[in-house]
Amino acid sequence: MLFKPDFAFYRITDIEISFLKKNGIKGLILDVDNTLTTHDNPIPAEGVREWIENMKQNGIKLIIVSNNHPPRVKPFADLLGVDFVCEGKKPLSKGFKQASEKMNLPFDEIGAVGDQIYTDILGANFSGIKSLYVSPIEHEKTAFFKFKRKMEIPFIPKKLYRKTERKL
Ligand SMILES: [Mg+2]
């Protein structure tokens, strides 16, 4: 099912090394807006820097693939010390292909993380990349986005994995 994420998390920081190892994921493609921070925010969301550092230390390759333009993507990627592809044209495979080449990893060893069903998840599924859905950090207020989010509802898993759930 092309619109269904393979895995679903509450936040990107809920994705753990043990999960990636278990699923043979050696590299992650990261979306920016509403995945690593709120829309157009130059500052990463809480815990994101630490999460990125932990990934790097554990040998997980990271690359940002965003449909947004260079002035938005480059400074943000530089701040996190992560390579990037902008104007990635998700859900088309162009950006994912470039990312796979840059990481030197085949599609089946890559996971793509993002908050939008019709770009991030559809694109990953279409390319044979594992799709990791995260709940958008903030809900956009424009009518267009509200409509898009409504159209996503049937495909969003009911249960989103949260690290803290383990303690319950
Ligand atoms: Mg996004």
Side-chain angles (χ1 to χ4, degrees), residues 81-155:
V82 173
D83 198 3
F84 68 95
V85 173
C86 46
E87 295 167 354
K89 301 210 189 313
K90 293 179 278 186
L92 302 180
S93 56
K94 178 191 169 245
F96 289 146
K97 238 182 236 164
Q98 267 176 273
S100 150
E101 280 161 20
K102 280 188 170 207
M103 287 196 287
N104 197 24
L105 287 175
F107 280 175
D108 62 355
E109 292 179 0
I110 300 173
V113 189
D115 66 294
Q116 287 197 57
I117 296 289
Y118 296 102
T119 54
D120 306 304
I121 302 306
L122 175 63
N125 289 347
F126 192 68
S127 294
I129 290 175
K130 292 179 181 81
S131 54
L132 282 62
Y133 172 83
V134 291
S135 177
I137 299 176
E138 187 178 71
H139 278 274
E140 301 86 347
K141 288 160 193 82
T142 64
F144 175 63
F145 253 104
K146 277 186 183 164
F147 172 73
K148 273 220 292 200
R149 292 298 182 196
K150 238 190 191 151
M151 298 303 290
E152 291 182 331
I153 291 170
F155 305 108

Coordinates of all heavy atoms in Angstrom, one line a residue, residues 81-155:
G81 N 25.3 20.0 10.6 CA 26.4 19.2 10.1 C 26.0 18.0 9.3 O 26.6 16.9 9.4
V82 N 24.9 18.2 8.5 CA 24.4 17.1 7.7 C 24.3 17.5 6.2 O 24.0 18.6 5.9 CB 22.9 16.8 8.2 CG1 22.3 15.7 7.3 CG2 23.0 16.3 9.7
D83 N 24.7 16.6 5.4 CA 24.6 16.8 3.9 C 23.1 17.0 3.5 O 22.2 16.6 4.3 CB 25.2 15.6 3.2 CG 25.6 16.0 1.7 OD1 25.4 17.1 1.3 OD2 26.0 15.1 1.0
F84 N 22.9 17.5 2.3 CA 21.5 17.8 2.0 C 21.2 17.7 0.5 O 22.2 17.9 -0.3 CB 21.0 19.1 2.5 CG 21.7 20.3 1.8 CD1 21.1 21.0 0.8 CD2 22.9 20.7 2.3 CE1 21.7 22.0 0.1 CE2 23.6 21.8 1.7 CZ 23.0 22.4 0.6
V85 N 20.0 17.5 0.1 CA 19.5 17.6 -1.3 C 18.3 18.5 -1.1 O 17.4 18.2 -0.4 CB 19.1 16.3 -1.9 CG1 18.4 16.5 -3.2 CG2 20.2 15.3 -2.0
C86 N 18.3 19.7 -1.8 CA 17.1 20.5 -1.8 C 16.3 20.4 -3.1 O 16.8 19.9 -4.1 CB 17.4 21.9 -1.4 SG 18.8 22.7 -2.2
E87 N 15.1 21.0 -3.1 CA 14.2 20.8 -4.3 C 14.2 19.4 -4.7 O 14.3 19.0 -5.9 CB 14.7 21.8 -5.4 CG 14.5 23.2 -5.0 CD 15.2 24.3 -5.9 OE1 16.0 23.9 -6.8 OE2 15.0 25.5 -5.6
G88 N 14.0 18.5 -3.7 CA 14.0 17.1 -3.9 C 12.8 16.5 -4.7 O 12.9 15.4 -5.1
K89 N 11.8 17.3 -4.9 CA 10.6 16.9 -5.7 C 9.9 15.6 -5.2 O 9.4 14.8 -6.0 CB 11.0 16.7 -7.2 CG 11.6 18.0 -7.8 CD 11.2 18.0 -9.3 CE 11.9 19.1 -10.1 NZ 11.9 20.4 -9.5
K90 N 9.9 15.4 -3.9 CA 9.2 14.3 -3.3 C 7.7 14.5 -3.7 O 7.2 15.7 -3.6 CB 9.3 14.3 -1.8 CG 10.7 14.0 -1.3 CD 10.8 14.0 0.2 CE 11.0 15.4 0.8 NZ 11.2 15.4 2.2
P91 N 6.9 13.6 -4.1 CA 7.2 12.1 -4.0 C 8.0 11.5 -5.1 O 8.1 10.3 -5.2 CB 5.8 11.6 -3.9 CG 5.0 12.5 -4.8 CD 5.6 13.8 -4.5
L92 N 8.4 12.3 -6.1 CA 9.2 11.7 -7.2 C 10.5 11.2 -6.6 O 11.0 11.6 -5.5 CB 9.5 12.7 -8.3 CG 8.2 13.3 -8.9 CD1 8.6 14.4 -10.0 CD2 7.3 12.3 -9.5
S93 N 11.2 10.3 -7.3 CA 12.3 9.6 -6.7 C 13.7 10.4 -6.9 O 14.7 10.0 -6.3 CB 12.5 8.2 -7.4 OG 12.6 8.3 -8.8
K94 N 13.6 11.5 -7.6 CA 14.8 12.3 -7.9 C 15.7 12.5 -6.6 O 16.9 12.2 -6.6 CB 14.4 13.6 -8.5 CG 15.6 14.5 -8.8 CD 15.1 15.9 -9.2 CE 16.2 16.9 -9.3 NZ 16.1 18.0 -8.3
G95 N 15.1 13.1 -5.6 CA 15.9 13.5 -4.4 C 16.4 12.3 -3.7 O 17.5 12.3 -3.1
F96 N 15.5 11.2 -3.6 CA 15.9 10.0 -2.9 C 17.1 9.3 -3.6 O 18.0 8.8 -3.0 CB 14.7 9.1 -2.9 CG 13.6 9.5 -1.9 CD1 12.3 9.3 -2.2 CD2 13.9 10.2 -0.7 CE1 11.3 9.7 -1.3 CE2 12.9 10.6 0.1 CZ 11.6 10.4 -0.2
K97 N 17.0 9.4 -5.0 CA 18.1 8.8 -5.8 C 19.4 9.5 -5.5 O 20.5 8.8 -5.2 CB 17.8 8.9 -7.3 CG 17.7 7.5 -8.0 CD 17.4 7.7 -9.4 CE 16.2 6.9 -9.8 NZ 15.6 7.3 -11.1
Q98 N 19.4 10.8 -5.5 CA 20.6 11.6 -5.2 C 21.1 11.3 -3.8 O 22.3 11.2 -3.6 CB 20.3 13.1 -5.3 CG 20.5 13.7 -6.7 CD 20.1 15.1 -6.7 OE1 18.9 15.4 -6.9 NE2 21.0 16.0 -6.3
A99 N 20.2 11.2 -2.9 CA 20.6 10.9 -1.5 C 21.2 9.5 -1.4 O 22.2 9.4 -0.7 CB 19.3 11.0 -0.6
S100 N 20.6 8.6 -2.0 CA 21.2 7.2 -2.0 C 22.6 7.2 -2.6 O 23.5 6.5 -2.0 CB 20.2 6.3 -2.8 OG 20.9 5.2 -3.3
E101 N 22.8 7.9 -3.6 CA 24.2 8.0 -4.2 C 25.1 8.7 -3.3 O 26.2 8.2 -3.0 CB 24.1 8.8 -5.6 CG 23.6 7.9 -6.7 CD 23.1 8.6 -7.9 OE1 23.5 9.8 -8.0 OE2 22.4 8.0 -8.7
K102 N 24.7 9.8 -2.7 CA 25.6 10.5 -1.8 C 25.9 9.7 -0.5 O 27.0 9.8 0.0 CB 24.9 11.8 -1.3 CG 25.0 12.9 -2.3 CD 24.4 14.3 -1.7 CE 24.7 15.4 -2.6 NZ 24.8 16.7 -1.9
M103 N 25.0 8.9 0.0 CA 25.2 8.1 1.2 C 25.9 6.8 0.8 O 26.4 6.1 1.7 CB 23.9 7.8 1.9 CG 23.3 8.9 2.6 SD 22.1 8.4 3.8 CE 20.7 8.0 2.7
N104 N 26.0 6.5 -0.5 CA 26.5 5.2 -1.0 C 25.8 4.0 -0.3 O 26.5 3.1 0.1 CB 28.0 5.2 -0.7 CG 28.7 4.2 -1.6 OD1 28.2 3.7 -2.6 ND2 29.9 3.7 -1.1
L105 N 24.5 4.1 -0.3 CA 23.7 3.0 0.3 C 22.6 2.6 -0.7 O 22.0 3.5 -1.3 CB 23.1 3.4 1.6 CG 24.0 3.5 2.8 CD1 23.1 4.1 4.0 CD2 24.6 2.2 3.2
P106 N 22.3 1.3 -0.8 CA 21.1 1.0 -1.7 C 19.8 1.3 -1.0 O 19.8 1.5 0.2 CB 21.3 -0.5 -1.8 CG 22.0 -1.0 -0.6 CD 22.9 0.2 -0.2
F107 N 18.8 1.5 -1.8 CA 17.4 1.9 -1.2 C 17.0 1.0 -0.1 O 16.4 1.5 0.9 CB 16.4 1.9 -2.3 CG 16.4 3.1 -3.3 CD1 15.6 3.1 -4.4 CD2 17.3 4.1 -3.0 CE1 15.6 4.2 -5.2 CE2 17.3 5.2 -3.8 CZ 16.5 5.3 -4.9
D108 N 17.2 -0.3 -0.1 CA 16.7 -1.2 0.9 C 17.5 -1.1 2.2 O 17.1 -1.7 3.2 CB 16.6 -2.6 0.4 CG 17.9 -3.2 0.1 OD1 18.9 -2.5 0.1 OD2 17.9 -4.4 -0.3
E109 N 18.5 -0.3 2.3 CA 19.2 0.0 3.6 C 19.0 1.4 4.1 O 19.7 1.9 5.0 CB 20.7 -0.3 3.4 CG 21.0 -1.8 3.1 CD 22.5 -2.0 3.0 OE1 23.4 -1.1 3.0 OE2 22.8 -3.2 2.7
I110 N 18.0 2.1 3.4 CA 17.7 3.4 3.8 C 16.3 3.6 4.3 O 15.4 2.9 3.8 CB 17.9 4.4 2.5 CG1 19.3 4.3 2.0 CG2 17.5 5.8 2.9 CD1 19.5 5.1 0.7
G111 N 16.1 4.4 5.3 CA 14.8 4.8 5.8 C 14.6 6.3 5.5 O 15.5 7.1 5.6
A112 N 13.4 6.7 5.1 CA 13.1 8.1 4.9 C 12.1 8.5 6.0 O 11.0 7.9 6.2 CB 12.5 8.3 3.5
V113 N 12.4 9.6 6.7 CA 11.6 10.1 7.8 C 10.9 11.4 7.3 O 11.5 12.3 6.8 CB 12.5 10.5 9.0 CG1 11.6 10.8 10.2 CG2 13.5 9.3 9.3
G114 N 9.6 11.4 7.5 CA 8.9 12.7 7.2 C 7.5 12.7 7.7 O 6.9 11.7 8.2
D115 N 6.9 13.9 7.7 CA 5.6 14.1 8.3 C 4.4 14.2 7.3 O 3.3 14.4 7.7 CB 5.6 15.4 9.1 CG 5.7 16.6 8.1 OD1 6.8 16.8 7.5 OD2 4.8 17.4 8.0
Q116 N 4.7 14.0 6.0 CA 3.6 14.1 5.0 C 3.4 12.8 4.2 O 4.4 12.3 3.6 CB 3.9 15.3 4.0 CG 3.7 16.6 4.7 CD 3.6 17.7 3.6 OE1 2.7 17.6 2.8 NE2 4.4 18.7 3.7
I117 N 2.2 12.3 4.3 CA 1.9 11.1 3.6 C 2.1 11.2 2.1 O 2.7 10.3 1.5 CB 0.4 10.7 3.9 CG1 0.2 10.4 5.4 CG2 0.0 9.5 3.0 CD1 0.8 9.2 5.9
Y118 N 1.7 12.3 1.5 CA 1.6 12.4 0.0 C 3.0 12.8 -0.6 O 3.1 12.9 -1.8 CB 0.5 13.3 -0.5 CG -0.8 12.7 -0.1 CD1 -1.5 13.2 1.0 CD2 -1.4 11.6 -0.8 CE1 -2.8 12.6 1.4 CE2 -2.6 11.1 -0.4 CZ -3.3 11.6 0.7 OH -4.5 11.0 1.0
T119 N 3.9 13.2 0.2 CA 5.3 13.4 -0.3 C 6.3 12.5 0.3 O 6.8 11.6 -0.4 CB 5.7 14.9 0.0 OG1 5.6 15.2 1.4 CG2 4.8 15.9 -0.7
D120 N 6.5 12.6 1.6 CA 7.6 11.8 2.2 C 7.3 10.3 2.1 O 8.1 9.4 1.7 CB 7.7 12.2 3.7 CG 8.0 13.7 3.8 OD1 8.9 14.2 3.2 OD2 7.2 14.3 4.6
I121 N 6.1 9.9 2.6 CA 5.8 8.5 2.7 C 5.5 7.8 1.3 O 6.1 6.8 1.0 CB 4.5 8.3 3.6 CG1 4.8 8.9 5.0 CG2 4.1 6.8 3.7 CD1 6.1 8.4 5.7
L122 N 4.7 8.5 0.5 CA 4.4 8.0 -0.8 C 5.8 7.9 -1.6 O 6.0 6.8 -2.3 CB 3.5 8.9 -1.5 CG 3.2 8.6 -3.0 CD1 2.5 7.2 -3.2 CD2 2.3 9.7 -3.6
G123 N 6.6 8.9 -1.5 CA 7.9 8.9 -2.3 C 8.8 7.7 -1.8 O 9.3 7.0 -2.7
A124 N 8.9 7.5 -0.5 CA 9.7 6.4 0.0 C 9.2 5.1 -0.5 O 9.9 4.2 -1.0 CB 9.8 6.5 1.5
N125 N 7.9 4.9 -0.3 CA 7.3 3.6 -0.6 C 7.4 3.3 -2.1 O 7.7 2.2 -2.6 CB 5.8 3.6 -0.3 CG 5.6 3.5 1.2 OD1 6.5 3.2 2.0 ND2 4.3 3.8 1.6
F126 N 7.3 4.3 -2.9 CA 7.4 4.2 -4.4 C 8.8 3.8 -4.8 O 9.0 3.1 -5.7 CB 7.0 5.6 -5.0 CG 6.8 5.5 -6.5 CD1 5.7 4.8 -7.0 CD2 7.6 6.1 -7.3 CE1 5.5 4.7 -8.3 CE2 7.4 6.0 -8.7 CZ 6.4 5.3 -9.2
S127 N 9.8 4.3 -4.0 CA 11.2 4.1 -4.4 C 11.7 2.8 -3.8 O 12.8 2.4 -4.0 CB 12.1 5.2 -3.9 OG 11.8 6.4 -4.7
G128 N 11.0 2.2 -2.9 CA 11.5 1.0 -2.2 C 12.4 1.3 -1.0 O 13.2 0.5 -0.6
I129 N 12.2 2.5 -0.5 CA 12.9 2.9 0.7 C 11.9 2.7 1.9 O 10.7 2.9 1.7 CB 13.2 4.4 0.6 CG1 14.3 4.6 -0.5 CG2 13.7 5.0 1.9 CD1 14.7 6.0 -0.7
K130 N 12.4 2.3 3.1 CA 11.5 2.1 4.2 C 11.0 3.5 4.6 O 11.7 4.5 4.7 CB 12.3 1.5 5.3 CG 12.6 0.0 5.0 CD 13.4 -0.6 6.1 CE 13.8 -2.1 5.7 NZ 15.0 -2.1 4.8
S131 N 9.7 3.5 4.8 CA 9.0 4.8 5.2 C 8.8 4.9 6.7 O 8.1 4.1 7.3 CB 7.7 5.0 4.4 OG 6.9 3.9 4.6
L132 N 9.3 6.0 7.2 CA 9.1 6.3 8.7 C 8.3 7.6 8.9 O 8.9 8.7 8.7 CB 10.5 6.4 9.4 CG 11.3 5.1 9.7 CD1 11.7 4.3 8.4 CD2 12.6 5.4 10.4
Y133 N 7.1 7.4 9.2 CA 6.2 8.6 9.5 C 6.5 9.1 10.8 O 6.7 8.4 11.8 CB 4.8 8.1 9.3 CG 3.8 9.2 9.7 CD1 3.4 10.2 8.8 CD2 3.2 9.2 11.0 CE1 2.5 11.1 9.1 CE2 2.3 10.2 11.3 CZ 1.9 11.2 10.4 OH 1.0 12.1 10.8
V134 N 6.5 10.5 10.9 CA 6.5 11.2 12.2 C 5.3 12.1 12.2 O 5.0 12.7 11.2 CB 7.8 11.9 12.5 CG1 8.9 10.9 12.8 CG2 8.2 12.9 11.4
S135 N 4.7 12.3 13.3 CA 3.6 13.2 13.5 C 4.1 14.6 13.3 O 5.2 15.0 13.9 CB 3.0 13.0 14.9 OG 2.0 13.9 15.1
P136 N 3.4 15.5 12.5 CA 4.0 16.8 12.3 C 4.1 17.6 13.7 O 3.2 17.5 14.5 CB 2.9 17.5 11.4 CG 1.7 16.6 11.4 CD 2.2 15.2 11.8
I137 N 5.2 18.3 13.8 CA 5.4 19.0 15.1 C 4.3 20.0 15.4 O 3.9 20.1 16.5 CB 6.8 19.7 15.1 CG1 7.9 18.6 14.9 CG2 7.0 20.5 16.4 CD1 9.3 19.2 14.8
E138 N 3.9 20.7 14.3 CA 2.9 21.7 14.5 C 1.9 21.6 13.3 O 2.4 21.3 12.2 CB 3.6 23.0 14.4 CG 2.7 24.2 14.8 CD 3.5 25.5 14.7 OE1 3.9 25.9 13.6 OE2 3.8 26.1 15.8
H139 N 0.7 21.8 13.5 CA -0.3 21.8 12.4 C -0.4 23.1 11.7 O -0.6 24.1 12.4 CB -1.7 21.3 12.9 CG -1.7 19.8 13.0 ND1 -2.0 19.0 11.9 CD2 -1.4 18.9 14.0 CE1 -1.9 17.7 12.2 NE2 -1.6 17.7 13.5
E140 N -0.2 23.1 10.4 CA -0.2 24.3 9.6 C -1.6 24.9 9.6 O -2.6 24.2 9.7 CB 0.3 24.0 8.2 CG 1.6 23.4 8.1 CD 1.7 21.9 8.2 OE1 0.6 21.3 8.6 OE2 2.7 21.3 7.9
K141 N -1.6 26.2 9.5 CA -2.9 26.9 9.6 C -3.6 27.3 8.3 O -4.7 27.7 8.2 CB -2.8 28.2 10.5 CG -2.5 27.8 11.9 CD -1.9 28.9 12.8 CE -1.4 28.4 14.1 NZ -0.1 27.7 14.0
T142 N -2.8 27.2 7.2 CA -3.4 27.6 5.9 C -4.5 26.5 5.5 O -4.4 25.4 5.8 CB -2.4 27.6 4.8 OG1 -1.8 26.3 4.6 CG2 -1.3 28.6 5.1
A143 N -5.5 27.0 4.7 CA -6.6 26.2 4.2 C -6.0 25.0 3.4 O -6.5 23.9 3.5 CB -7.5 27.0 3.4
F144 N -5.0 25.2 2.6 CA -4.5 24.2 1.7 C -3.9 23.1 2.6 O -4.1 21.9 2.4 CB -3.4 24.8 0.8 CG -2.7 23.7 0.0 CD1 -3.3 23.0 -0.9 CD2 -1.3 23.6 0.2 CE1 -2.7 22.0 -1.7 CE2 -0.6 22.6 -0.6 CZ -1.3 21.8 -1.5
F145 N -3.1 23.4 3.6 CA -2.5 22.4 4.5 C -3.6 21.7 5.3 O -3.5 20.5 5.5 CB -1.4 23.1 5.4 CG -0.1 22.7 4.9 CD1 0.7 23.5 4.2 CD2 0.4 21.4 5.2 CE1 2.0 23.2 3.8 CE2 1.7 21.0 4.8 CZ 2.5 21.9 4.1
K146 N -4.6 22.4 5.7 CA -5.6 21.8 6.5 C -6.3 20.7 5.7 O -6.6 19.6 6.2 CB -6.7 22.9 7.0 CG -6.2 23.6 8.2 CD -7.3 24.5 8.7 CE -6.9 25.3 9.9 NZ -7.8 26.5 10.1
F147 N -6.5 21.0 4.4 CA -7.1 20.1 3.5 C -6.2 18.9 3.3 O -6.6 17.7 3.4 CB -7.4 20.8 2.2 CG -7.8 19.8 1.1 CD1 -9.1 19.3 1.1 CD2 -6.9 19.4 0.1 CE1 -9.5 18.4 0.1 CE2 -7.3 18.6 -0.9 CZ -8.6 18.0 -0.9
K148 N -4.9 19.2 3.1 CA -3.9 18.1 2.9 C -3.9 17.1 4.2 O -3.9 15.9 4.0 CB -2.5 18.6 2.7 CG -2.2 18.9 1.3 CD -0.8 18.6 0.8 CE 0.3 19.4 1.4 NZ 1.5 19.3 0.6
R149 N -3.9 17.7 5.3 CA -3.8 16.9 6.6 C -5.1 16.1 6.7 O -5.0 15.0 7.2 CB -3.7 17.9 7.8 CG -2.3 18.6 7.9 CD -1.2 17.6 8.0 NE 0.1 18.3 8.1 CZ 1.3 17.7 7.9 NH1 1.4 16.5 7.6 NH2 2.4 18.4 8.1
K150 N -6.2 16.6 6.3 CA -7.5 15.9 6.4 C -7.4 14.6 5.5 O -7.9 13.5 5.8 CB -8.6 16.8 5.9 CG -9.7 16.9 7.0 CD -10.9 17.6 6.5 CE -11.8 17.9 7.7 NZ -12.6 19.0 7.6
M151 N -6.8 14.8 4.3 CA -6.7 13.7 3.3 C -5.7 12.7 3.8 O -5.7 11.6 3.3 CB -6.2 14.3 2.0 CG -7.2 15.3 1.3 SD -8.8 14.7 1.0 CE -8.5 13.5 -0.2
E152 N -4.9 13.0 4.7 CA -3.9 12.0 5.2 C -4.5 11.1 6.3 O -4.0 10.0 6.5 CB -2.7 12.8 5.9 CG -1.9 13.5 4.9 CD -0.7 14.2 5.6 OE1 -0.8 14.6 6.8 OE2 0.4 14.4 5.0
I153 N -5.6 11.5 6.9 CA -6.1 10.8 8.1 C -6.2 9.3 7.9 O -5.8 8.5 8.7 CB -7.4 11.5 8.6 CG1 -7.0 12.8 9.2 CG2 -8.1 10.6 9.6 CD1 -8.2 13.7 9.6
P154 N -6.8 8.8 6.7 CA -7.0 7.4 6.6 C -5.7 6.6 6.6 O -5.7 5.4 6.9 CB -7.7 7.3 5.2 CG -8.1 8.6 4.8 CD -7.3 9.6 5.6
F155 N -4.6 7.2 6.4 CA -3.3 6.5 6.2 C -2.4 6.6 7.4 O -1.3 6.0 7.5 CB -2.6 6.9 5.0 CG -3.4 6.8 3.7 CD1 -3.9 7.9 3.1 CD2 -3.8 5.5 3.3 CE1 -4.7 7.8 2.0 CE2 -4.6 5.4 2.1 CZ -5.1 6.5 1.5

